[in-house]
Amino acid sequence: MLTTLKRIVQEMNQIPALDTALFRLASRVKQTLDVDSCSIYLADYERQDFVLKATDGLDVDAVEHVRIGFSEGLIGLVGQREEPLNIANAQKHARFKHYPEVKEENYNAFLGTPIINQRRVLGVITLQQSEKRRFSEDEEAFLVTLAAQLALEVTNADMRGALNYSATNEYTIQQKNVTGIAGSPGLAIGKGFAPDKSVNLKNWVVKRTKAPAEEIQRYRLGVEETRKHVDNLSERLDDGIPDDVKSIFQLYHHLLDANSLGREVEEKIKQGWDAASSLKMVVENYAARFQAMDDPYMQERAIDIVDLSDRILANILLAAKGYKVKEKYAVEDSILVAEEVSATMLAEFPRDKLKGIISIRGSNNSHAAILARAMGVPAVMGCQNVSPALLEDKEILVDGYAGEVIVSPDRNIKNEFIQLIEEESAITERIDAEAGQPCESIDGCRMSLYINAGLSAQGELSAENIGSGIGLYRTEIPFMLRERFPSEQEQVVLYREVLESAPELPITMRTLDVGGDKPLPYFPINEENPFLGWRGIRLTLDHPEIFLVQVRAMLRASVGLTNLQIMLPMISTVSEVQEAKRLINQAFYEISDEVVESGETLEKPKLGIMLEVPSVLYQLPQLAKHVDFFSVGSNDLTQYLLAVDRNNTRVASLYNSYHPAVLGALYDIVKQANQNQVPVTICGEIAGEPSGAILLMGMGYRKLSMNAFNLRKINWLIRKVTLEESRDLLALAMTCETQEEVFGYLNTFLEEKGLGGLIRAGA
């Protein structure tokens, strides 16, 4: 039976048009199970009914004409109950409703199974037979299994717009909602624009050559032209982009180096392959290795390699036979759409015409997403099951806060979206006008706002002069951009620049947080469950030589300064803190001896830990004896508490920092921290959301760390509320059973305060 099922699904997948595929499916199921009829109904939520889409056994003229209400007949009952319905004599059932058009008078036995995807009923598939009998368990199991697989095909087809045709088979424009991953915050309206990518390694057919010397020369010319192009793109970036974000292009320069891809490509050419084919073979090997990694950030490096190599290919072809890449010109208010948006693609797009970004693949760790955030351009990544060609020239709404895309919106939705943009713009003007004011509530509660930094610490600090410092500096980013572990001196230079960017403000540097789901390209780790694996402090304690070099570099960089703080990631036991402290003390005494000889001063940095593993919630009094501060990593804490991978689109909707269990954990942390007199900061996304910031203030948090983009907004919001209001709102939230109830209270509060424009930008 399994073999038969696979064969039926494969046959369906090979038919491009969904309506034709459904007819084929109905016919094959009828034949396989030897029944009198098989029919498929799909849900139309706009009209609240099921439409007969395909049949083998009922009157084919009824297809697209028969509509059965969600609460009508046996079809409606299957949809309502969301489970199979197996009846020996359907016409005697209380919910049976006769539809003359389908001509089912001779059928008695009925088996209906819902087609469901992610809790949403997409349709119903039925079997009917003239004989009065209950269908067997095997037949029912077969239909249930088939319906589960059919659900994915219907969902994919719906995303592609394949269901958008009327009863006369004429295609109509209907609104489609596509869910992805929030890449860069903001709202945008524009027309889809897909750059021409006809020249790419994926479609290149490998060829041999009898003139390897000429091919090597063409390859080198192609690389040189690409290098010039990358230099120009880097220079074209707006001056407001921090230098460290521009350093994304350093990876491209590294790949263009002769000792990187070049050596392997030229070796392939010497083996008899032409330049383009050699490039294809080497690059696809590298890309496959990156894509096989579990860490989304490292997977994104495959995008960079392929993008750069496609550009080299175009220049190789140009050098070979005068080939010129066809250019498409962007229109006003463009939404850049591509299978994989790259940093170079974004950098070369006319900034005055770019409104938003949609990447079919990719995550919020991609270089395009990092660059989009620095440019202030809304972006949604990972919009699967839709192609750029289908978004081309379509009117599109981009919600970079929620990670949602609305294609061909209806008039009411578009008007609501325009109103949201206007509200956001008005609030942004008010926020900018009050920038620089102290972050203090109406009744005098003072809050300290810090910045989460990685690629662009110096740029982020200078861009937001109201920040209280860096609450989280991710030291792993420079490690990921290299092909080897950076030396101690290289790290000293980097950390010194960060510490000197704001010598009067505290800078909290997190020790290397890689491994498991974030492997380094030169230190690969393969694990079945990377989120529970060898990562963070576990890895660095197992490799003290790596940990000591980094801590020594931090200490050397802080000589003569007093603003360094060190933070340990992924702590789950007291013993990990004790061992890390031993190594830090060892490094401190080593550097102290060196500093004494030079006459300079070295201050011992404060030590803190990240609270992101649930086990530490029950060890806070013990941990408090060994550290100077706590920092709550609410993103990972939420992920672990709810057992949800937020980068997995199938379960991402379950990830929510406003889940009552998460709010309870956050509240308990700050109460225990205060009882043990240990300062506590929170550096997850909830700290940078308006609703989250209010709740956290009510809980007792006084230090919030966030992306620089959100800092002014949260500063402005805090000054519009009172501490008493935040505590009252928290009390209501803590009585809620679901996050939806929490959102209800939060949104009502913001609306009543005249801050409704922050709802979209917050929870």
Side-chain angles (χ1 to χ4, degrees), residues 336-399:
L336 173 61
V337 181
E339 196 70 32
E340 292 174 323
V341 175
S342 65
T344 53
M345 189 184 297
L346 184 53
E348 68 187 356
F349 203 93
R351 183 65 185 87
D352 59 331
K353 296 180 179 179
L354 181 64
K355 290 296 181 182
I357 300 164
I358 299 173
S359 185
I360 307 306
R361 294 203 291 270
S363 72
N364 57 8
N365 289 310
S366 73
H367 279 161
I370 293 170
L371 191 53
R373 289 195 289 270
M375 296 170 68
V377 178
V380 177
M381 320 300 288
C383 295
Q384 300 176 10
N385 304 320
V386 64
S387 72
L390 289 168
L391 299 180
E392 181 101 43
D393 294 327
K394 297 285 197 316
E395 186 172 40
I396 299 174
L397 312 182
V398 176
D399 183 344

Side-chain angles (χ1 to χ4, degrees), residues 365-589:
N365 289 310
S366 73
H367 279 161
I370 293 170
L371 191 53
R373 289 195 289 270
M375 296 170 68
V377 178
V380 177
M381 320 300 288
C383 295
Q384 300 176 10
N385 304 320
V386 64
S387 72
L390 289 168
L391 299 180
E392 181 101 43
D393 294 327
K394 297 285 197 316
E395 186 172 40
I396 299 174
L397 312 182
V398 176
D399 183 344
Y401 297 111
E404 294 179 354
V405 172
I406 302 175
V407 185
S408 302
D410 65 37
R411 183 178 302 174
N412 291 335
I413 295 296
K414 180 180 177 181
N415 289 339
E416 290 177 8
F417 207 81
I418 291 173
Q419 184 177 351
L420 285 172
I421 291 177
E422 291 173 350
E423 289 176 357
E424 183 182 53
S425 178
I427 283 185
T428 299
E429 290 181 7
R430 293 166 63 187
I431 291 172
D432 290 343
E434 298 180 29
Q437 297 296 316
C439 187
E440 186 174 306
S441 68
I442 295 172
D443 52 356
C445 178
R446 190 65 181 260
M447 301 287 288
S448 297
L449 305 185
Y450 297 83
I451 290 172
N452 295 337
L455 279 172
S456 52
Q458 188 171 11
E460 287 165 323
L461 273 179
S462 62
E464 300 288 347
N465 55 17
I466 57 175
S468 299
I470 296 180
L472 168 63
Y473 177 69
R474 303 179 180 91
T475 62
E476 64 269 14
I477 303 297
F479 281 74
M480 289 178 171
L481 295 178
R482 286 171 167 78
E483 61 178 359
R484 56 169 175 76
F485 284 107
S487 68
E488 181 176 324
Q489 183 56 36
E490 286 175 322
Q491 293 183 61
V492 169
V493 172
L494 174 64
Y495 302 151
R496 184 72 181 185
E497 182 180 0
V498 175
L499 292 170
E500 287 183 335
S501 66
E504 75 288 355
L505 299 176
I507 307 294
T508 303
M509 293 189 172
R510 182 174 67 187
T511 59
L512 188 60
D513 188 16
V514 297
D517 66 315
K518 292 189 289 187
L520 299 171
Y522 44 86
F523 195 66
I525 303 167
N526 295 313
E527 296 180 307
E528 291 186 6
N529 196 337
F531 288 103
L532 302 181
W534 198 42
R535 55 177 299 200
I537 197 67
R538 300 170 180 176
L539 185 152
T540 51
L541 288 182
D542 283 351
H543 280 275
E545 75 281 13
I546 297 174
F547 186 79
L548 282 168
V549 166
Q550 183 177 38
V551 172
R552 281 178 54 88
M554 290 179 180
L555 293 171
R556 286 179 58 198
S558 71
V559 171
L561 299 173
T562 60
N563 59 338
L564 171 65
Q565 299 186 158
I566 296 177
M567 184 160 62
L568 308 175
M570 194 68 181
I571 292 295
S572 59
T573 68
V574 174
S575 61
E576 289 170 336
V577 180
Q578 292 173 327
E579 177 62 13
K581 283 186 70 174
R582 184 185 69 79
L583 293 173
I584 292 171
N585 287 334
Q586 175 184 325
F588 178 77
Y589 292 127

Side-chain angles (χ1 to χ4, degrees), residues 120-134:
R120 184 178 174 89
V121 177
L122 305 178
V124 175
I125 181 169
T126 67
L127 301 180
Q128 289 174 274
Q129 197 153 8
S130 57
E131 178 186 352
K132 294 179 182 179
R133 71 175 181 95
R134 282 180 61 85

Side-chain angles (χ1 to χ4, degrees), residues 40 119 122 177 180 224 226 360 395 474 507 617 623:
I40 301 166
R119 308 183 188 184
L122 305 178
N177 291 33
E224 186 57 35
T226 305
I360 307 306
E395 186 172 40
R474 303 179 180 91
I507 307 294
L617 304 187
L623 289 165

